[in-house]
Amino acid sequence: MTNASLIEGVKDFQPLPANIVIFGATGDLTKRKLMPALARMYRTGLVHPQSRIIGVARDIAGAEWPDMIRTALESYAADLQYTDEEWQAFAARLRFVQGDLADADTYARLAGALDTEQGVCNALFYLAIPPEWYVQVAQGLGQVQLAGEDTGYRRIVIEKPFGLDLASAIQLNKALQDVFSESQIYRIDHYLGKESVQNLFVFRFGNSILEPLWNRNYIDHVQISVAETLGVEYRAAYYEQAGALRDMIQSHMMQVMTLVAMEPPGEYSANAVRDEKVKVLRSLRATPAAEVDRLTVAAQYGAGEIAGQKVPAYCREPGVAADSVTETFAAVRLYVDNWRWQGVPFILWYGKRMQKRASEIVIRFRQPPYNLFDSGGAPPVADALVFRLQPDEGMFLRMNAKMPGLTTRMRRLIMRGPYASATEPLFEAYEILLNDVLLGDATLFSRADEIEESWLKLAPILDAWGKRISIDRYRAGTWDVPGVDDLFAGCVGGWHKPT
Amino acid sequence: MTNASLIEGVKDFQPLPANIVIFGATGDLTKRKLMPALARMYRTGLVHPQSRIIGVARDIAGAEWPDMIRTALESYAADLQYTDEEWQAFAARLRFVQGDLADADTYARLAGALDTEQGVCNALFYLAIPPEWYVQVAQGLGQVQLAGEDTGYRRIVIEKPFGLDLASAIQLNKALQDVFSESQIYRIDHYLGKESVQNLFVFRFGNSILEPLWNRNYIDHVQISVAETLGVEYRAAYYEQAGALRDMIQSHMMQVMTLVAMEPPGEYSANAVRDEKVKVLRSLRATPAAEVDRLTVAAQYGAGEIAGQKVPAYCREPGVAADSVTETFAAVRLYVDNWRWQGVPFILWYGKRMQKRASEIVIRFRQPPYNLFDSGGAPPVADALVFRLQPDEGMFLRMNAKMPGLTTRMRRLIMRGPYASATEPLFEAYEILLNDVLLGDATLFSRADEIEESWLKLAPILDAWGKRISIDRYRAGTWDVPGVDDLFAGCVGGWHKPT
C-alpha cells in the first residue's frame, strides 16, 4: 500500500489541506477502518501534510488518544511500520476534543480546534457514531457556523443505516438538509468503494461488446449475492432491530444492482450517475403484498459447524432474544419495469453463517436456442459473466467450448480475468471513498432520493416481514436455506451457489 | 495420445474394418503424418484391428516397407514405444503392392491385395502423391471396379492443391467425378482437422452471447493469419509454381474464413455445413482488377536472421529461380457482400520467414462510441476475440477494465481460456480427419463447389499477380512487409501482429 509506485500513482488525487473531524473517535469503526485509512493516506500524500485529524469523544482524555490510535494502527495497519520520527510527524497532525455530543460547548471547542490557515477552513465531519446522534451533531455543527461554506468546504459523512424505513429516512434526510445542503452530505457505502464494484461500472461502459447484450433479449436473470461465514458477532443490538434485508440488501446490494441495471449516463459526474441510478429505483417494481411470500425468502441460522467449529444458533447469541424472528438470510426477487429489463429477475441474497464467504454478481445469459451438435439433446448450458468481489476479485466468463477429442460435445470453458496481479496493491474501500470526499466527488455516495426510493420499494416486504411471528431456520455452515430454490423458479441454471 | 482415458473416449468412434490404401507409400507425407496417425489409431482402436494398411509404390520391394515404416514411426511417433509383440501385431496388418501408377496391372494386383471378408470390401484410397497423378489413379481404380460401392464403401482422399486455378480445378473435379461420385471424394484440409479450428465452430454455436455480436453492427474487421518462421524448405519446385496465395490462402485460410462468416446451419451434417460455407464463398466479392493493388499485398523474403541464425533470401534457395517473383507473403482484404457482413473487411495473411510462428483468428469489434470516463480523451481500445491455433491453442478476450487505484482509467484486460489443460492429450489433425473418412463423415472436407467458387473469386488476383515482373522484399525474421499497414487502412487497431 505504501510503495513508491503507489505514491507516484496518486499525484493527480492529492487534496487540499483539511480538518478531518471524526465523531466517535474511540469507536470500533475509527480504530479498524478510518484511522488505518487516514494513516495510509497521510503516508502516500492523499491526506495533505498540513491537514489536522481531530477526534471527538466523551470517554477518554485528549492525551490518551494518540496512544490509542497508535495501538490501533499496530493491529489494523501493521504494514505502516512507523519509525519514531514518522510517528511524531503523524501524531503532530492529531488533535482531540473531549466532550458530550449533547453539549453545545463541545461544538464550540471543536470550532476552536480547527486549523483556519489564512482564513480557509476546509472541514470533513465523519460521523462514526450511532445514527440516533446524526441529527444532533448536524445541528450542533450548524449552531457554531460549521455547516456553511464561506471559508472553505464543509462536508459531512454518514454511515448506513440511513433510516430503518421510508418514514425515518425522509425524516433523517430532512433534518440533515435543514443544516447542510444535499451536496455537502456524503452517505458512504463502503461496497461502492470496492475496486471491483467500480470496475463493474468501468467494464460495462469501457467495452463495446457488453452493451448490446445487456438487456432482456439476452440476459435471463441477474444474481447479486453476499455470503458470509460470520454470525452476528457483537452487533446483536443493532441487528435485532435491522435484520439482513435492511442491513445489506436495502443498502449495499441495491446500490450494486443499480450499477448493473442503469442506463449509460451522459457523463461521468456525480449527478449524472446518480440520476441514472435513481431512475432504476423508480422503475423497480414494489413487490405486491400478495406476492411477498413467493418473491422473498427470510431465514435465520440455527446451530451448525463452520470450518469444523461448532457455532451456536442465532437465537442463542448474546443479546438476541430466544424467540427472535430476525432474518440472518434474506433473498428478494425484484423486477425493473423498464424497456431494458422488463421480465428479467434480479435476485439479491445475503446470508450469515453460510458454508463459504463469497460475494458475486452473476449475469446469466439466456440459454442457446438449441444444440446444433446434438439436435435431440438439451441446449448447451447458458453462458454467464461473473464479477467476483471476494475472495479473489476478478471477472469470469463461463462459456461452452468443444471438448478435446473426436467429438463435437461441449464442456464448460471458464475465461478468467483477474482484476489485478497478485503483486499489485489495491486500495481499501475507505481510502478510495475518503479520498473522494476530500476531493468533493460524490459519484460513489448515495443521494437522498436514492435512499428514499429504495425504502419506498421495499416497504411492502418490510410490512409483511414485520408481521412475522416465526421464521424458517437453516443449519449454519450449509446452503440449505428453505425456499431459495423456489425463488429461482424459471431462472436458467437455478440458484448459483458460490463455488 | 495412447493413454487409457483416451481409449475410453474413442469408443463411440470405432469404425468398421477397412482396407486403407496409401498411394505414395514411401513418401514424406506417409512417413511423417499418415502412418504415425494410423499407427496411433490402430493402438487406440480407431483403426479396426481387422483392417489392412496397404502401401502402393514403385521404388521399393514389398519386403522393405514394414522396416521403412518402423523407422519412420520411431522418428515421428516415438510415443508409441512398440514392444516386439505389439509391432508384430501391427506389421501383420501391413501389405504392399509394388508397381507403377501408369501401369494398369498395378491396380489389378491392388484389387487382389484387398481383404474382402465375407464379400465386404471397404476401402479408403489415400492419394499421397503429386496431384498430376490424381486422375490417372482414379481411372486405374475405376478400371478394376474399385470405385463402385457394391461390396462396401470406397472413398478416395486427395490433398491440396485442388487445381491451381479455376479451370484446372473444374477439370480435376470433373475427371474425379467421372469415376467416383462426389460423396466418395474427400478433399482433405488438415487445417480443418485442428481441434482449435473445430472449436471455433463449436464455440460460435454453443454459446448464446456470440451470435448477437457476430455481424457488421459490432465487428469492425476479421483477421486470419498464419506466420511461419520456416522458409520454402524442400518444396521449391511446387512453391515456385504455387506461391503463398494458392498454397495457403485459397485453401486453409479461406476455409477458416468460411467457418467464421457462415450462417448457422440448420443441422450439423456434412451437406448442411458445406452448403453454408459455399454460400459465404458465393457472397465473396471478386476483387475488381483495378483494386487488386490496393486490396492485396505480395512480397518475398530476403536474407535475414531467424532466432539468431542467418538465413538466405528466397531467391537463393535451392530450386528457386534467381529472378523469381513468387510471393512468400500474401495478404488479401476480402469482403463478404451479404446482409451480415457487408462492409466488414476480412484480412487474410500468410508469411514465411516471419519473426515468430503463430496462427490466429482475430475478431476485432468496433471501438466503444466514446470514453465515458474522459470525455475529451480517445475512446477506449476496441475489444477483440482471439482464437489462437498455434502455439498454445486457446481463446482470448481482450477487453478494458478499470486500472487498480484511485482512477477510472482503463487498461487492457485479457481473459484467457486455454483450449485444453496441459495434461490433456489432443488429437493430431490427421487422426481426426482419417477417422472422419473411416466413419464417412465429410463435414470437414471440401466439396467441389467450394473449391471452384474460391478459385473463381481469387481469379482477378491470380490474373493480376500472374503478370508481375518484380516483387517487394521483406527481411527474413521481421514483420517489415511493405504495404501491410496500408492494407489495414480504416481497420480499428490496424495490423495485429502476433505477440
Side-chain angles (χ1 to χ4, degrees), chain A residues 385-451:
Chain A
L385 175 64
V386 179
F387 293 82
R388 182 167 293 161
L389 311 189
Q390 58 191 32
D392 309 323
E393 297 186 81
M395 281 145 291
F396 304 83
L397 199 47
R398 301 167 73 90
M399 299 184 75
N400 301 306
K402 182 180 163 302
M403 189 179 281
L406 303 169
T407 175
T408 50
R409 273 189 298 167
M410 285 169 246
R411 67 175 182 188
R412 213 62 174 146
L413 172 91
I414 302 187
M415 300 183 84
R416 292 170 200 279
Y419 176 58
S421 71
T423 57
E424 258 172 334
L426 295 183
F427 282 84
E428 290 285 337
Y430 275 98
E431 293 172 58
I432 290 173
L433 295 172
L434 281 166
N435 185 246
D436 280 350
V437 180
L438 290 168
L439 294 174
D441 180 352
T443 311
L444 300 177
F445 297 80
S446 307
R447 212 167 53 185
D449 52 352
E450 288 182 77
I451 300 294

Side-chain angles (χ1 to χ4, degrees), chain A residues 82 205-206 318 326 426 452 465 496:
Chain A
Y82 282 104
F205 298 119
T326 300
L426 295 183
E452 292 173 13
W465 287 14
H496 177 75

